[in-house]
Amino acid sequence: MLRLHDYGPSGNCYKVRLLLAALEIPYERVPIDLKDDPAKQAYRARFRLGRVPVLELDDGKELAESNAILCYLAEGTPYLPNDRWERAQVLKWLFWEQYDHEPYIAVIRAWRAYFGIPKGREAEVPLRKARAYEALGVLEDELTHKIFLASDRYSIADMSLFAYSHVAHEGGFELSRFPALCRWIARIQAQPKHVRISD
Ligand SMILES: N[C@@H](CCC(=O)N[C@@H](CS)C(=O)NCC(=O)O)C(=O)O
């Protein structure tokens, strides 16, 4: 059975759980408490990239990077299109999520709601908040004329970006300023087999 090394509040882990649930793939959750330093050090010693999620396959292979895991699991399913152009649209959003969205929304949320601001990094907060709002603005513009991000179908691009967008309020971000984004969040929450981050 697949094993997912996982931290409950992490959106990067949640996006994988979201897809596993949508595909009805059974798996074992292996929780890591990122607030527990010895547990974190042991995890880092085992996995070279040192972060969650990691998906462990039946043959012992270990895959890190949430969006790579999404691509691996979604291959051959409607959540990752075969068409070259549509697939490139999905990949575009996955790369954008890691470069322009997650480092701002997820990091501010993690500092505000879970770990506190690391000592000496207080000065980063205003810029990260501004970049987070820019990312939410990009999604709002996009979703004003679209149902889903990459094509007219729900895909792993939506799952990836939903993971941290729908909990952005935990980072202090006002989602009510983005009505199209809020409608897309509700659309995803209404998908069959949807699971919540707290499930
Ligand atoms: N690019 C990675 C980021 C993973 C990541 O940042 N994971 C965080 C939790 S959301 C983590 O493991 N933090 C612990 C640490 O960095 O020591 C992915 O998408 O999987």
Short mmCIF file of all heavy atoms in Angstrom, two decimals, residues 28 104 161:
data_model
loop_
_atom_site.label_atom_id
_atom_site.label_comp_id
_atom_site.label_asym_id
_atom_site.label_seq_id
_atom_site.Cartn_x
_atom_site.Cartn_y
_atom_site.Cartn_z
N GLU A 28 -1.62 4.65 3.39
CA GLU A 28 -1.38 4.78 4.83
C GLU A 28 -0.79 6.16 5.07
O GLU A 28 0.17 6.55 4.39
CB GLU A 28 -0.40 3.69 5.28
CG GLU A 28 -0.10 3.70 6.75
CD GLU A 28 1.06 2.78 7.12
OE1 GLU A 28 1.43 1.93 6.28
OE2 GLU A 28 1.61 2.95 8.23
N TYR A 104 4.53 32.61 -0.56
CA TYR A 104 3.98 33.80 0.06
C TYR A 104 2.78 33.45 0.94
O TYR A 104 2.79 33.67 2.15
CB TYR A 104 3.64 34.84 -1.01
CG TYR A 104 4.87 35.07 -1.86
CD1 TYR A 104 4.94 34.63 -3.18
CD2 TYR A 104 6.02 35.62 -1.28
CE1 TYR A 104 6.12 34.78 -3.93
CE2 TYR A 104 7.19 35.77 -2.01
CZ TYR A 104 7.22 35.35 -3.33
OH TYR A 104 8.38 35.48 -4.04
N LEU A 161 -3.56 24.54 -6.37
CA LEU A 161 -3.75 25.94 -5.96
C LEU A 161 -4.84 26.12 -4.92
O LEU A 161 -4.82 27.06 -4.12
CB LEU A 161 -3.99 26.81 -7.19
CG LEU A 161 -2.62 27.14 -7.80
CD1 LEU A 161 -2.66 27.29 -9.29
CD2 LEU A 161 -2.04 28.38 -7.14
#
